[in-house]
Amino acid sequence: MGPPTGKRARIRTIADCLCKENRIIEEWLVRDNGALVQQLGLDIVETAQKQALDDKNTGKSLIQTLASSRQHTIDQSTIASEPTCPDLPEENPEQFSKYVFDTLYNRKSLDTLPKLFDFRVGANLPSGRDLYGTLEYKEYLKALYAALPDLTASVDYVGSVPYLGDAKDVAVRWSMAGTHTGNGLFGSASGAPVFILGVTHWRIINGRVRDEWTVFDELSVHRQIETYKLTS
């Protein structure tokens, strides 16, 4: 991130861990580096440009590093369709999670949003985005679709625990792949291939998502875009 700034920063991080015999044997770690850059008073695009140039000068490429994961996500998204939403999402969190991601990100069907999310939903998203209600959530999704029109998603793992009676807290580890051919959310269209690893936590109450916390590294997205610009 460059030289010390002396500024205090607070970011959200989620670790999805696979444990065996009381030891972590594999971990998927996501953190909101976009929010970190903002709190340090830095520009996310300029920071990504510097990282991409440093990569190039040392013979590295984030796009190449993530290429196999990106292709795996594309392949999985075509075979993991979930056409049915369970009647009781709290009792079928895995099916519900797959349905939500397939519907919103693979099929991009926003008409189903009121069925899946409470109209008062609070969503804490990367880079400090704090959304309230399905209208703001829909606007965010439209911006994401515009930036990555061919976006596809794969649900890689779902875990859940009860919350206050019949409610359920659900954790979803997911991956997304797309091509940055649209303007807006990540700057001017570049044509860069993009891979995103993320984790979403939902609180499901009365059959709908009432609260959401999603973490992925938006700085990494910009770094992939800037890497592509250096090689195109």
Side-chain angles (χ1 to χ4, degrees), residues 119-137:
F119 73 96
R120 302 158 296 178
V121 62
N124 299 275
L125 305 181
S127 297
R129 295 182 180 88
D130 186 9
L131 309 184
Y132 177 79
T134 50
L135 178 59
E136 290 188 358
Y137 200 97

Side-chain angles (χ1 to χ4, degrees), residues 52 55 60-71 190-195 220-232:
D55 288 343
K60 301 175 183 177
S61 167
L62 186 57
I63 290 177
Q64 291 180 5
T65 299
L66 298 175
S68 60
S69 296
R70 181 176 183 273
Q71 187 58 52
S190 65
V194 171
F195 171 78
S220 172
V221 176
H222 284 281
R223 186 173 175 179
Q224 292 171 69
I225 292 170
E226 296 306 319
T227 296
Y228 184 80
K229 289 180 180 178
L230 290 174
T231 58
S232 60

Side-chain angles (χ1 to χ4, degrees), residues 40-51:
L40 295 179
L42 305 174
D43 182 86
I44 192 169
V45 174
E46 292 177 359
T47 302
Q49 288 172 342
K50 181 180 182 302
Q51 291 181 340

